[in-house]
Amino acid sequence: MNRRVLIGGAILVLPMLALLVAGLGRDPNTIESPLVGRDAPPFELKQFDSGQRISLEDLQGRPAVINFWASWCAPCYVEHPVLVEASRRLGDDVQFVGVIYEDSNEAIARFLQQFPPFGPTLEDPEGRMAIAWGVYGAPETFFLDPKGRVVAKHAGALTPELLDQYLRLAGGPSS
Amino acid sequence: MKTTLSLIIAGLSFSVLASSAVELPELEEFVGVVGSPAGVPLEDEKADEEVSRISSLIRCPVCQGLSLEDSPSPMAGQMRDVVDEMVRSGFTEDQILRYFEASYGEFVLLEPRARGINLLVWVAPLLALVIGGGLILWRRFSSQSEAPDNGSTRQPDDDPYLVRARALGEGEVDA
């Protein structure tokens, strides 16, 4: 009888343990996005400083890095210099775009006075782009290949090494 | 008469074309994902009720297990605005759920769709009930059918241990 209980318990508990172990091995910064492998959702937004409109079509022809950020987001302060350095180094080979995520214009203006932008900064006042792109929070970064297809999504602050890896996936030059 | 009729038809066609030309760009972001509205546009209280009902089926991505309807977060508010716009434009519940699922994945649905591995959620409790109930009934009937053997048919005199114990007590057998 005890043996039966033991085997029955093992049948119930072992699959749950296996699921737990599999979950522990996952990187919490890797959020599976249904957009990966698909064409990026179209958008057309106004630039924060100039008011000029930028659409998805404007980005095609070279790899693009689309970063959702906010001035209230602490990891964004860590990530920002990484993106600025990469955009300077790679020049026109890669298009870097920032999208403001749930922030006020005053706070963004203060942030950009303190730190230079890494590319055009787009306003998303009603969060429509963030919703269409399945954004959970800031910072989140999408990598697009030259055809405008999403090749990867990263949640959390990017390091130079991670950025390099993702850019290679997007068909960009490696450092 | 014919000319008047042609003019009326031409006028109607123009107004239809003109209205669709005005509405289409606003709905483009939804139509591109889930197709043209398949339902009837709702207004006023009916629309509010439908928005509330559908919002309670969608998970707020930045909250812990709250629906859009229950969440006070700005993100949930923006997503409710999208639901509102879609309901008033004639998109059906299925189209609205598919729109959010396209960007956030099935995670965004508070009630996962009954397909694939998700079927386990519906089938497993029923299976457990049937198997558990079957086991209980089986044990009950099998113990009932064994019960007469244990009690009424076996006479104390037949028990070899009792027979030997009595014999030892009466000195008939050497210990």
Side-chain angles (χ1 to χ4, degrees):
Chain A
M1 181 62 189
N2 281 342
R3 202 171 177 183
R4 274 193 206 164
V5 171
L6 202 69
I7 292 168
I11 289 170
L12 284 174
V13 172
L14 283 178
M16 285 191 241
L17 268 177
L19 276 175
L20 183 73
V21 170
L24 285 175
R26 287 173 63 182
D27 179 1
N29 285 332
T30 310
I31 296 180
E32 283 173 25
S33 167
L35 296 182
V36 173
R38 287 173 30 198
D39 288 341
F43 67 87
E44 188 182 335
L45 294 176
K46 213 168 66 173
Q47 277 193 56
F48 175 73
D49 42 4
S50 66
Q52 192 190 336
R53 299 188 81 82
I54 286 193
S55 70
L56 180 66
E57 286 76 34
D58 298 327
L59 306 183
Q60 287 172 1
R62 54 184 164 159
V65 178
I66 299 182
N67 176 253
F68 288 81
W69 67 276
S71 67
W72 47 259
C73 138
C76 297
Y77 286 80
V78 178
E79 182 184 66
H80 195 84
V82 175
L83 292 168
V84 170
E85 191 279 323
S87 71
R88 281 183 182 157
R89 178 167 43 86
L90 297 169
D92 289 338
D93 290 340
V94 176
Q95 175 71 63
F96 286 80
V97 176
V99 183
I100 301 167
Y101 177 76
E102 289 185 13
D103 210 342
S104 69
N105 284 359
E106 296 75 30
I108 291 295
R110 276 199 303 275
F111 184 98
L112 291 177
Q113 273 174 2
Q114 206 177 343
F115 308 101
F118 48 77
T121 304
L122 306 182
E123 291 177 15
D124 186 22
E126 291 168 352
R128 289 300 177 92
M129 182 173 171
I131 293 169
W133 286 59
V135 171
Y136 287 81
E140 278 187 24
T141 311
F142 292 83
F143 296 85
L144 274 54
D145 70 11
K147 288 179 181 168
R149 210 166 45 117
V150 180
V151 294
K153 173 186 180 180
H154 182 82
L158 282 164
T159 60
E161 295 76 26
L162 279 171
L163 183 60
D164 203 41
Q165 278 175 28
Y166 285 124
L167 280 175
R168 262 181 274 149
L169 270 180
S174 52
S175 53
Chain B
M1 180 65 184
K2 261 187 179 175
T3 321
T4 319
L5 201 66
S6 309
L7 279 171
I8 291 170
I9 291 169
L12 279 173
S13 314
F14 178 76
S15 63
V16 167
L17 280 172
S19 65
S20 62
V22 168
E23 282 174 16
L24 200 61
E26 291 171 13
L27 302 180
E28 202 175 11
E29 60 184 292
F30 311 131
V31 173
V33 181
V34 295
S36 300
V40 183
L42 299 179
E43 290 177 350
D44 307 324
E45 275 179 24
K46 272 192 176 175
D48 293 341
E49 281 169 19
E50 189 67 352
V51 170
S52 176
R53 191 183 67 78
I54 296 175
S55 295
S56 66
L57 303 174
I58 301 169
R59 187 193 302 273
C60 160
V62 295
C63 317
Q64 295 284 336
L66 284 179
S67 72
L68 297 185
E69 180 66 5
D70 299 327
S71 168
S73 80
M75 183 80 184
Q78 290 171 341
M79 288 172 80
R80 271 198 306 272
D81 290 343
V82 171
V83 175
D84 187 276
E85 192 177 328
M86 291 184 87
V87 164
R88 287 173 203 275
S89 304
F91 288 95
T92 61
E93 175 192 316
D94 182 59
Q95 286 182 305
I96 296 170
L97 295 182
R98 279 195 289 123
Y99 176 73
F100 286 101
E101 202 181 344
S103 50
Y104 285 98
E106 201 170 9
F107 166 82
V108 83
L109 305 181
L110 277 171
E111 193 175 290
R113 294 189 189 276
R115 66 179 177 209
I117 199 162
N118 291 345
L119 275 174
L120 273 178
V121 177
W122 278 266
V123 175
L126 275 178
L127 266 179
L129 201 71
V130 170
I131 293 171
L135 271 174
I136 291 167
L137 286 175
W138 176 70
R139 284 185 69 94
R140 194 167 172 181
F141 280 119
S142 64
S143 64
Q144 268 180 7
S145 59
E146 280 171 14
D149 260 6
N150 293 337
S152 61
T153 55
R154 183 180 287 176
Q155 299 298 319
D157 291 345
D158 297 342
D159 192 315
Y161 292 101
L162 282 176
V163 170
R164 188 168 167 78
R166 279 198 197 106
L168 278 168
E170 287 163 14
E172 288 175 8
V173 178
D174 294 334

